[in-house]
Amino acid sequence: MAEKRKSGMISTGIAAQNRKGRFNYTILETIEAGLVLKGPEVKSLRLGRATINEAYAGDRNGEIWLFNSYIPEYQGGVLSRFETRAPRKLLLHGKQVDKLLGAVARDGVTLVPLDIHFNARGLAKVTLGIGEGRKKADKRQAIADRDWQRDKARLMRNKGRGD
């Protein structure tokens, strides 16, 4: 049975991605957290217009919140308005919260939101990365490694053509 979709709406998959997150930080571990949203926020996320490039996760009263993420207002005739850059609570188990807050306090790591996606059940989730900041030389090395992998793949692909 074919599933009907509204045009342009995301039912599963990535709604927003922080592409610089993996470049600016060395990601040691990732963890998936639920996201507390209002109805119009979910609809706006499903349109894929959110940005989390400047977003970060942090502690507020012993809970983990997502700060500075931008979800634009939904323009579909909904009367309820919401703040576009409001802090949003992340849903995690108590042991996970203790582990993350301990790592931030003890090791000086950062909680970097890598993406916001909808899982198979249609629930909004955030992939958090536990990351250490990279120095400029580390970033240059990452660029060099990425370029070498690209060139190596190109050479292997063209090897059989007799060029």
Side-chain angles (χ1 to χ4, degrees), residues 35-54:
L35 187 59
V36 176
L37 297 170
K38 298 178 178 115
E41 290 176 318
V42 175
K43 286 190 168 197
S44 186
L45 257 184
R46 287 197 186 279
L47 290 174
R49 299 184 325 177
T51 58
I52 57 170
N53 292 335
E54 299 101 29

Side-chain angles (χ1 to χ4, degrees), residues 96-107:
Q96 291 174 321
V97 171
D98 293 341
K99 176 184 172 184
L100 292 176
L101 294 180
V104 167
R106 182 179 58 251
D107 302 331

Side-chain angles (χ1 to χ4, degrees), residues 44-84:
S44 186
L45 257 184
R46 287 197 186 279
L47 290 174
R49 299 184 325 177
T51 58
I52 57 170
N53 292 335
E54 299 101 29
Y56 61 97
D59 176 32
R60 179 191 272 184
N61 300 330
E63 299 173 334
I64 297 186
W65 289 67
L66 183 66
F67 298 103
N68 206 24
S69 62
Y70 176 73
I71 300 176
E73 286 189 3
Y74 181 66
Q75 300 297 323
V78 179
L79 292 175
S80 62
R81 299 285 180 226
F82 58 89
E83 191 179 329
T84 57

Side-chain angles (χ1 to χ4, degrees), residues 8-136:
M9 291 285 216
I10 300 169
S11 59
T12 59
I14 294 178
Q17 193 171 24
N18 184 357
R19 298 184 69 179
K20 284 278 192 179
R22 292 190 187 273
F23 180 71
N24 290 333
Y25 297 92
T26 302
I27 303 299
L28 307 173
E29 186 181 342
T30 60
I31 192 164
E32 189 177 68
L35 187 59
V36 176
L37 297 170
K38 298 178 178 115
E41 290 176 318
V42 175
K43 286 190 168 197
S44 186
L45 257 184
R46 287 197 186 279
L47 290 174
R49 299 184 325 177
T51 58
I52 57 170
N53 292 335
E54 299 101 29
Y56 61 97
D59 176 32
R60 179 191 272 184
N61 300 330
E63 299 173 334
I64 297 186
W65 289 67
L66 183 66
F67 298 103
N68 206 24
S69 62
Y70 176 73
I71 300 176
E73 286 189 3
Y74 181 66
Q75 300 297 323
V78 179
L79 292 175
S80 62
R81 299 285 180 226
F82 58 89
E83 191 179 329
T84 57
R85 291 205 180 265
R88 292 169 175 92
K89 186 175 177 181
L90 297 180
L91 302 173
L92 292 160
H93 293 285
K95 287 183 180 179
Q96 291 174 321
V97 171
D98 293 341
K99 176 184 172 184
L100 292 176
L101 294 180
V104 167
R106 182 179 58 251
D107 302 331
V109 296
T110 307
L111 298 178
V112 183
L114 299 174
D115 67 32
I116 297 177
H117 61 275
F118 291 99
N119 67 3
R121 292 177 50 201
L123 301 176
K125 301 285 185 175
V126 177
T127 304
L128 284 178
I130 301 171
E132 292 177 339
R134 284 188 177 170
K135 305 279 189 275
K136 199 170 202 173

